[in-house]
């Protein structure tokens, strides 16, 4: 359990921060970039939840995803090591499978696409598209960390984020179900 008694510590005033194993690193470290962008994605989902206009099933799913995103951040901030002092929190394949099952569930109720979807529609759908794009950026930052640190970063974190962005796309389409998707018309304004 995490206990936060002090919000500021001043230990980061020198441009460094602690990783989950208590080692210090630069605030420009690709791992920090990755988990900070995961935090941004989580906050984007929080905005979707604050706006409302979602089914209770979708709200419950997004709250679960928010919790999982903290797991992703914890995983990214704790270097993979052969003999850790404490068992680290790691993303599991079962969390990815759960997302895949939700993608299939929501996508089964949608019409097949004839073109790319413009990120618009209801406020909830538009904000889900924003969360999707932030999640894609978090995935790219995670791959940068994986490439920079090799086996020191769990690749399941990137896989999770990839599936999550797909889920957010499907949820945005689902949130637009009553108004319909606005589709891209190639060259429409030439």
């Amino acid at each position: 359990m995490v206990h936060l008694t002090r919000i500021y510590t001043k230990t980061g005033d020198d441009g460094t921060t602690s990783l989950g194993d208590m080692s210090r690193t630069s605030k420009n470290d690709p791992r920090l970039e990755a988990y900070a962008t995961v935090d941004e994605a989580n906050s984007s989902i929080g905005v979707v939840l604050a706006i409302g206009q979602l089914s209770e099933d979708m709200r419950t799913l997004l709250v679960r995803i928010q919790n999982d995103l903290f797991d992703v951040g914890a995983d990214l901030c704790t270097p993979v090591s052969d003999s850790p002092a404490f068992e680290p929190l790691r993303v599991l394949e079962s969390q990815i499978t759960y997302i895949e099952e939700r993608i299939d569930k929501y996508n089964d109720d949608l019409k097949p696409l004839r073109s790319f979807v413009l990120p618009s529609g209801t406020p909830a759908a538009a904000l889900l598209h924003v969360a999707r794009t932030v999640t894609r950026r978090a995935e790219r930052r995670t791959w940068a960390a994986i490439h920079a640190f090799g086996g020191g970063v769990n690749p399941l974190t990137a896989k999770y984020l990839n599936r999550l962005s797909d889920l957010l796309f499907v949820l945005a389409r689902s949130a637009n179900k009553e108004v319909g998707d606005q589709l891209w018309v190639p060259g429409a304004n030439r």
Side-chain angles (χ1 to χ4, degrees):
M1 184 56 69
V2 176
H3 298 282
L4 300 174
T5 55
R6 290 185 61 205
I7 302 306
Y8 64 92
T9 62
K10 301 182 183 180
T11 58
D13 291 351
D14 65 353
T16 66
T17 191
S18 291
L19 292 174
D21 64 356
M22 303 314 291
S23 63
R24 302 285 300 170
T25 192
S26 165
K27 289 191 177 186
N28 293 319
D29 186 306
R31 295 168 294 191
L32 177 65
E33 288 287 337
Y35 68 77
T37 310
V38 167
D39 186 34
E40 189 180 346
N42 203 343
S43 295
S44 294
I45 292 170
V47 173
V48 176
L49 289 165
I51 291 295
Q53 305 174 337
L54 300 171
S55 68
E56 191 55 38
D57 182 57
M58 201 180 294
R59 288 186 62 75
T60 300
L61 172 59
L62 288 173
V63 169
R64 178 179 174 150
I65 295 299
Q66 284 193 297
N67 195 80
D68 281 354
L69 284 173
F70 265 87
D71 291 353
V72 173
D75 192 334
L76 286 167
C77 87
T78 307
V80 173
S81 102
D82 291 334
S83 27
F86 300 98
E87 186 66 31
L89 182 59
R90 297 287 179 217
V91 171
L92 303 174
E93 190 70 45
S94 60
Q95 290 170 289
I96 297 164
T97 300
Y98 177 82
I99 290 178
E100 292 171 345
E101 290 167 353
R102 300 288 86 65
I103 292 169
D104 293 341
K105 174 187 181 264
Y106 281 94
N107 198 48
D108 283 348
D109 293 336
L110 299 172
K111 294 178 184 176
L113 283 174
R114 302 179 328 270
S115 184
F116 290 104
V117 173
L118 299 180
S120 63
T122 66
L127 290 169
L128 282 161
H129 280 295
V130 171
R132 171 185 59 79
T133 61
V134 175
T135 300
R136 284 281 187 212
R137 181 162 27 94
E139 179 194 359
R140 291 189 305 273
R141 297 278 198 267
T142 299
W143 278 114
I146 290 167
H147 290 292
F149 292 95
V153 178
N154 179 6
L156 287 180
T157 54
K159 186 174 178 182
Y160 179 92
L161 293 167
N162 181 277
R163 291 307 182 287
L164 176 57
S165 62
D166 293 338
L167 174 63
L168 293 169
F169 174 77
V170 170
L171 293 178
R173 290 197 65 216
S174 184
N176 271 342
K177 203 168 175 185
E178 289 184 22
V179 299
D181 292 311
Q182 182 69 45
L183 299 179
W184 174 47
V185 180
N189 300 312
R190 289 201 256 178

